[in-house]
């Protein structure tokens, strides 16, 4: 399997909306992804497996602090290191663009994602009670600072 990571393009949106719908109870829509391309403060990467979009991740930058809005990988490609590779590339590109800190929220039950974030230097700084819906669950707040 050949993996490539590149910036989000309009032609990726339809497939990524399908990946998102399969992965999350409250998925982003095609319109949500389209909006990312129109916002100068947003930066998104896409992972391609053999030329087909299988995941994405990105952030919204606000004065040198980036909120990682989304990390998603298609179910059949999870466990292959794609999420971690995208996250590493996202951080590297963000730092090159002047981002000094990254933050994100993750379901407290999502041990696999938390493990990946910790491997990339994120640390838990607190809990947002009831942050997620469908099902209702707390979010762990994580930060990665230089």
């Amino acid at each position: 399997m050949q993996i490539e990571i590149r910036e989000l393009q309009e032609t990726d949106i339809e497939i990524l909306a399908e990946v998102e719908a399969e992965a999350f109870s409250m998925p982003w829509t095609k319109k949500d992804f389209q909006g990312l391309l129109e916002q100068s403060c947003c930066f998104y990467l896409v992972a391609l497996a053999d030329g087909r979009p299988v995941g994405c991740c990105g952030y919204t930058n606000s004065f040198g602090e980036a909120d990682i809005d989304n990390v998603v990988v298609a179910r059949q490609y999870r466990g292959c290191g794609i999420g971690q590779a995208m996250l590493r590339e996202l951080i590297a590109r963000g730092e090159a663009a002047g981002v000094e800190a990254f933050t994100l929220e993750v379901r407290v039950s999502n041990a696999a994602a938390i493990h990946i974030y910790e491997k990339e230097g994120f640390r838990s700084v607190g809990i947002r009670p009831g942050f997620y819906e469908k099902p209702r669950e707390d979010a762990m707040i994580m930060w990665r600072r230089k």
Side-chain angles (χ1 to χ4, degrees):
M1 173 174 54
Q2 180 81 0
I3 300 297
E4 175 190 353
I5 297 173
R6 61 153 169 77
E7 289 186 40
L8 174 68
Q9 298 173 3
E10 192 162 348
T11 56
D12 303 322
I13 291 173
E14 188 160 337
I15 294 171
L16 289 176
E18 292 171 11
V19 169
E20 182 85 1
E22 177 187 81
F24 297 119
S25 61
M26 298 181 70
W28 287 15
T29 65
K30 291 178 201 176
K31 185 176 180 181
D32 295 326
F33 281 107
Q34 184 65 43
L36 298 172
L37 293 173
E38 299 165 4
Q39 303 267 346
S40 63
C41 60
C42 293
F43 181 75
Y44 266 72
L45 295 174
V46 173
L48 305 171
D50 299 325
R52 184 181 193 284
V54 297
C56 71
C57 70
Y59 63 71
T60 301
N61 185 3
S62 179
F63 303 103
E65 292 186 348
D67 184 5
I68 296 178
D69 307 309
N70 197 355
V71 178
V72 64
V73 176
R75 184 169 288 128
Q76 64 269 33
Y77 292 93
R78 292 182 193 158
C80 299
I82 294 171
Q84 188 168 3
M86 284 191 304
L87 188 60
R88 276 190 187 146
E89 183 71 15
L90 184 72
I91 291 167
R93 292 198 191 194
E95 288 178 343
V99 174
E100 296 183 10
F102 297 84
T103 186
L104 55 82
E105 289 94 4
V106 59
R107 285 184 182 271
V108 294
S109 65
N110 193 343
I114 291 167
H115 179 70
I116 289 170
Y117 299 142
E118 288 175 340
K119 283 172 54 176
E120 294 307 317
F122 285 83
R123 298 293 170 248
S124 175
V125 297
I127 300 293
R128 289 194 202 284
F131 181 79
Y132 290 103
E133 299 175 16
K134 297 181 182 179
R136 192 147 202 69
E137 187 173 354
D138 296 347
M140 179 183 295
I141 306 162
M142 302 185 85
W143 278 88
R144 181 187 191 275
R145 295 183 169 93
K146 282 187 172 181

